[in-house]
Amino acid sequence: MKSFLSMVLLLVLAGAIGYFYFESALARGIEIAGSRALGTETRVSSVNISPMSGSGSIGQLSIANPEGFNETYAFLLDSLSVEMDVGSAFSDVVEIDSIVITQPDITYETRITTDNIRALINNLPTGPAAEPGAEGAGKRVIIRDLRIIEPRINLVTALAQAPVSLPDIHLQNIGDQSNAVTIAEAARQILSAISQAVLRADLPTTDELRQGVEDNVTEQLERGRNQIEEEVNNVGDRVRGLFNN
C-alpha cells in the first residue's frame, strides 16, 4: 500500500513539474519568437494552458516600441485567451484554434513619413530569413480565428496625444493545414489589420489636437490659479486667527 501511495505521489509530482515546464517553455518561446520577429523586446508574465483541453490565457504581454520612437510600449495586453492544440506546441507547426484579445492598449505613434506600427512591420523578416531552417527562423503557425475586441488606441504625435476609437478586428485563417505561416508572416497580417483599422479611423486633425493642447493648458492654469487663491485665503485666515488670539 505504501509503495502504491509513493508511486501515485511521484506521478503527481512529475505531472506538476511537467506542467510547470510546459507553461514556462511556452512563455519563453513567445518571448523569443516575438522579439526575434519584431526586432524589439516582447515580454510575457505568465502562460496558463490546460494540457487536456488546450484552453487558457496569456498574461501581461508587452511589445516595446521600435527604435526611434519615444513611447515605451507599442502594445500592452493585460490578458488574452487562447485555445490551441497542445500536442502541436512543440512540433514544427503550432495549431491555434482561437485567440481573443480584449481591450488591448495600443500606441499609435506617428511621424511625418511613418509610424511605429509600420516600423514594426518593416522589422519583420521576409524571404529566406523567415523560412524554417534559416538562421533566426521560428516555427510555423496556424491561427484559425483571431479577435481583437474594443482596442484602445492612444494617438501620439509631436503635438499632443489623444484617444482614438476603433471597431473590433476579426481575422480568420492565418495559415492553413496545407500552408502554415511563419511567426513573422502571422505578425505581419495582424499588424497590417491594426494599421489599416487605424488609418480608416476618424483621427483628430492637427487643429483639433492643437485646440486640445490649448484647452489642457488653460485648464491647468485655471486649476493652478484656484489653488494659489485657496492657499492665500488659508494663510490669511491663519494670520487673522493669530491676531484675534
Side-chain angles (χ1 to χ4, degrees), residues 157-187:
T157 71
L159 185 64
Q161 299 186 21
V164 176
S165 298
L166 282 189
D168 295 351
I169 297 172
H170 185 203
L171 297 176
Q172 291 181 300
N173 300 321
I174 301 175
D176 56 41
Q177 205 66 44
S178 61
N179 186 28
V181 298
T182 62
I183 298 292
E185 178 55 32

Side-chain angles (χ1 to χ4, degrees), residues 21-69:
Y21 172 77
F22 170 72
E23 292 188 334
S24 298
L26 277 180
R28 185 60 181 151
I30 292 170
E31 291 181 338
I32 292 173
S35 300
R36 181 179 293 165
L38 295 168
T40 189
E41 185 178 48
T42 299
R43 301 286 295 177
V44 171
S45 67
S46 64
V47 173
N48 297 291
I49 303 290
S50 167
M52 301 299 293
S53 67
S55 299
S57 63
I58 298 171
Q60 294 293 322
L61 188 150
S62 64
I63 298 174
N65 234 351
E67 186 176 350
F69 293 87

Side-chain angles (χ1 to χ4, degrees), residues 61 63 73-78 101-108 150-154:
L61 188 150
I63 298 174
Y73 298 105
F75 295 88
L76 277 176
L77 318 179
D78 282 338
I101 304 170
T102 303
Q103 294 184 332
D105 290 317
I106 303 173
T107 298
Y108 178 66
E150 297 179 9
R152 299 182 294 200
I153 304 295
N154 183 34

